[in-house]
Amino acid sequence: MRPDLLAPPPNPQVAEAWQRAWAGLVVAEDDLGPVATVAGVDVAYHDQSGELVAAAALLDARTLTVLEEVTVRDQAQFPYIPGLFSFRECSPVARAVEALSRRPDLIVCDGHGRAHPRRFGLACHLGVALDLPTIGCGKTRLTGAETPPGPDRGAHTPLLDGAEVLGATLRTQSGVRPVYVSVGHRVSLPTALTWVLHLAPRYRLPETTRAADGLVRRTPASPGTQPEAQP
DNA sequence: GCGACAG
DNA sequence: ATCTTGTCGC
């Protein structure tokens, strides 16, 4: 891991400068081995004091069964600012992933990767910080011009900034709004699309995201019992 | 100056 | 993200 990439920036201007520099560390090509496990990550804010709960859910890549769940509590170190989202959630999420008993072969993030103003969204940030393959899968668009994909499951169209392909809109289920897929780190866009579609056999969002989301929402922010791994 | 704006 | 009930549709 690279703790230097997880320190809270002093202000938005510095944060943007760091993103522009770190964007050069992103690998947008496939550099992953056999994928046996895929992790989903998410963060929930249970009160307005900045207290948060980050979670990592490890799934069997073939059966999509949840193999392990981990949650960590923390205090937000940076406000939510569109474009600087990763400085709020990357650190706690990275801690949750590292708390898993084994490193996942791939991580799907609840947010964008290269489909970002400076090409360094949460998925890129997390991937580079942990040096693990990551995919960005957001529910809404941040930047880029989109074209509605066809009505059937699997249909997809590029998310563009002029001639540059930032990612893609992907219809994971017929008749539902598409999700926004982009490269995070060490995964190509075609591979990212294939995985997100595979991970979303029944619902709009991938099972990895659903598992992590359900986990953070049922985890109390304050005291409570520390969740343990689920066999 | 007027919108747009991940979670 | 979070605050919140009922309701339209498959």
Side-chain angles (χ1 to χ4, degrees), chain A residues 121-133:
Chain A
L122 173 65
C124 296
H125 198 155
L126 185 67
V128 171
L130 297 174
D131 190 25
L132 281 176

PDB file of all heavy atoms in Angstrom, chain A residues 121-133:
ATOM      1  N   GLY A 121     -10.604   9.459 -10.577  1.00  0.00           N
ATOM      2  CA  GLY A 121     -11.693   9.309  -9.617  1.00  0.00           C
ATOM      3  C   GLY A 121     -11.349   8.288  -8.546  1.00  0.00           C
ATOM      4  O   GLY A 121     -10.252   7.715  -8.552  1.00  0.00           O
ATOM      5  N   LEU A 122     -12.291   8.039  -7.649  1.00  0.00           N
ATOM      6  CA  LEU A 122     -12.079   7.102  -6.542  1.00  0.00           C
ATOM      7  C   LEU A 122     -11.504   5.748  -6.951  1.00  0.00           C
ATOM      8  O   LEU A 122     -10.593   5.238  -6.299  1.00  0.00           O
ATOM      9  CB  LEU A 122     -13.414   6.864  -5.812  1.00  0.00           C
ATOM     10  CG  LEU A 122     -13.401   5.784  -4.730  1.00  0.00           C
ATOM     11  CD1 LEU A 122     -12.481   6.186  -3.581  1.00  0.00           C
ATOM     12  CD2 LEU A 122     -14.803   5.537  -4.212  1.00  0.00           C
ATOM     13  N   ALA A 123     -12.016   5.161  -8.032  1.00  0.00           N
ATOM     14  CA  ALA A 123     -11.530   3.847  -8.453  1.00  0.00           C
ATOM     15  C   ALA A 123     -10.046   3.883  -8.815  1.00  0.00           C
ATOM     16  O   ALA A 123      -9.301   2.955  -8.498  1.00  0.00           O
ATOM     17  CB  ALA A 123     -12.353   3.334  -9.635  1.00  0.00           C
ATOM     18  N   CYS A 124      -9.599   4.955  -9.442  1.00  0.00           N
ATOM     19  CA  CYS A 124      -8.179   5.084  -9.798  1.00  0.00           C
ATOM     20  C   CYS A 124      -7.367   5.277  -8.525  1.00  0.00           C
ATOM     21  O   CYS A 124      -6.331   4.644  -8.324  1.00  0.00           O
ATOM     22  CB  CYS A 124      -7.972   6.289 -10.711  1.00  0.00           C
ATOM     23  SG  CYS A 124      -8.781   6.169 -12.313  1.00  0.00           S
ATOM     24  N   HIS A 125      -7.847   6.139  -7.672  1.00  0.00           N
ATOM     25  CA  HIS A 125      -7.154   6.462  -6.424  1.00  0.00           C
ATOM     26  C   HIS A 125      -6.959   5.206  -5.572  1.00  0.00           C
ATOM     27  O   HIS A 125      -5.859   4.910  -5.103  1.00  0.00           O
ATOM     28  CB  HIS A 125      -7.967   7.518  -5.669  1.00  0.00           C
ATOM     29  CG  HIS A 125      -7.204   8.243  -4.617  1.00  0.00           C
ATOM     30  ND1 HIS A 125      -7.542   9.517  -4.187  1.00  0.00           N
ATOM     31  CD2 HIS A 125      -6.124   7.887  -3.868  1.00  0.00           C
ATOM     32  CE1 HIS A 125      -6.695   9.898  -3.238  1.00  0.00           C
ATOM     33  NE2 HIS A 125      -5.841   8.924  -3.021  1.00  0.00           N
ATOM     34  N   LEU A 126      -8.043   4.456  -5.394  1.00  0.00           N
ATOM     35  CA  LEU A 126      -7.969   3.240  -4.582  1.00  0.00           C
ATOM     36  C   LEU A 126      -7.062   2.197  -5.233  1.00  0.00           C
ATOM     37  O   LEU A 126      -6.254   1.556  -4.561  1.00  0.00           O
ATOM     38  CB  LEU A 126      -9.376   2.655  -4.387  1.00  0.00           C
ATOM     39  CG  LEU A 126      -9.477   1.447  -3.462  1.00  0.00           C
ATOM     40  CD1 LEU A 126      -9.158   1.858  -2.025  1.00  0.00           C
ATOM     41  CD2 LEU A 126     -10.880   0.832  -3.534  1.00  0.00           C
ATOM     42  N   GLY A 127      -7.192   2.035  -6.532  1.00  0.00           N
ATOM     43  CA  GLY A 127      -6.375   1.054  -7.237  1.00  0.00           C
ATOM     44  C   GLY A 127      -4.891   1.340  -7.139  1.00  0.00           C
ATOM     45  O   GLY A 127      -4.094   0.437  -6.872  1.00  0.00           O
ATOM     46  N   VAL A 128      -4.521   2.589  -7.332  1.00  0.00           N
ATOM     47  CA  VAL A 128      -3.108   2.959  -7.269  1.00  0.00           C
ATOM     48  C   VAL A 128      -2.599   2.859  -5.832  1.00  0.00           C
ATOM     49  O   VAL A 128      -1.486   2.395  -5.584  1.00  0.00           O
ATOM     50  CB  VAL A 128      -2.896   4.397  -7.801  1.00  0.00           C
ATOM     51  CG1 VAL A 128      -1.472   4.862  -7.543  1.00  0.00           C
ATOM     52  CG2 VAL A 128      -3.203   4.443  -9.292  1.00  0.00           C
ATOM     53  N   ALA A 129      -3.421   3.283  -4.873  1.00  0.00           N
ATOM     54  CA  ALA A 129      -3.008   3.242  -3.464  1.00  0.00           C
ATOM     55  C   ALA A 129      -2.780   1.809  -2.971  1.00  0.00           C
ATOM     56  O   ALA A 129      -1.857   1.545  -2.197  1.00  0.00           O
ATOM     57  CB  ALA A 129      -4.047   3.934  -2.588  1.00  0.00           C
ATOM     58  N   LEU A 130      -3.626   0.887  -3.434  1.00  0.00           N
ATOM     59  CA  LEU A 130      -3.501  -0.510  -2.999  1.00  0.00           C
ATOM     60  C   LEU A 130      -2.754  -1.375  -4.015  1.00  0.00           C
ATOM     61  O   LEU A 130      -2.441  -2.531  -3.739  1.00  0.00           O
ATOM     62  CB  LEU A 130      -4.895  -1.110  -2.776  1.00  0.00           C
ATOM     63  CG  LEU A 130      -5.761  -0.499  -1.676  1.00  0.00           C
ATOM     64  CD1 LEU A 130      -7.150  -1.132  -1.701  1.00  0.00           C
ATOM     65  CD2 LEU A 130      -5.102  -0.736  -0.319  1.00  0.00           C
ATOM     66  N   ASP A 131      -2.493  -0.817  -5.187  1.00  0.00           N
ATOM     67  CA  ASP A 131      -1.889  -1.568  -6.290  1.00  0.00           C
ATOM     68  C   ASP A 131      -2.703  -2.826  -6.574  1.00  0.00           C
ATOM     69  O   ASP A 131      -2.167  -3.924  -6.629  1.00  0.00           O
ATOM     70  CB  ASP A 131      -0.435  -1.951  -5.972  1.00  0.00           C
ATOM     71  CG  ASP A 131       0.280  -2.504  -7.208  1.00  0.00           C
ATOM     72  OD1 ASP A 131      -0.141  -2.150  -8.321  1.00  0.00           O
ATOM     73  OD2 ASP A 131       1.239  -3.292  -7.052  1.00  0.00           O
ATOM     74  N   LEU A 132      -3.999  -2.618  -6.758  1.00  0.00           N
ATOM     75  CA  LEU A 132      -4.894  -3.736  -7.080  1.00  0.00           C
ATOM     76  C   LEU A 132      -5.777  -3.313  -8.268  1.00  0.00           C
ATOM     77  O   LEU A 132      -6.027  -2.126  -8.476  1.00  0.00           O
ATOM     78  CB  LEU A 132      -5.810  -4.046  -5.894  1.00  0.00           C
ATOM     79  CG  LEU A 132      -5.239  -4.856  -4.723  1.00  0.00           C
ATOM     80  CD1 LEU A 132      -6.277  -4.976  -3.615  1.00  0.00           C
ATOM     81  CD2 LEU A 132      -4.832  -6.245  -5.225  1.00  0.00           C
ATOM     82  N   PRO A 133      -6.230  -4.294  -9.061  1.00  0.00           N
ATOM     83  CA  PRO A 133      -7.102  -3.973 -10.203  1.00  0.00           C
ATOM     84  C   PRO A 133      -8.429  -3.409  -9.689  1.00  0.00           C
ATOM     85  O   PRO A 133      -9.038  -3.989  -8.775  1.00  0.00           O
ATOM     86  CB  PRO A 133      -7.296  -5.335 -10.883  1.00  0.00           C
ATOM     87  CG  PRO A 133      -6.035  -6.082 -10.527  1.00  0.00           C
ATOM     88  CD  PRO A 133      -5.838  -5.705  -9.077  1.00  0.00           C
TER      89      PRO A 133
END
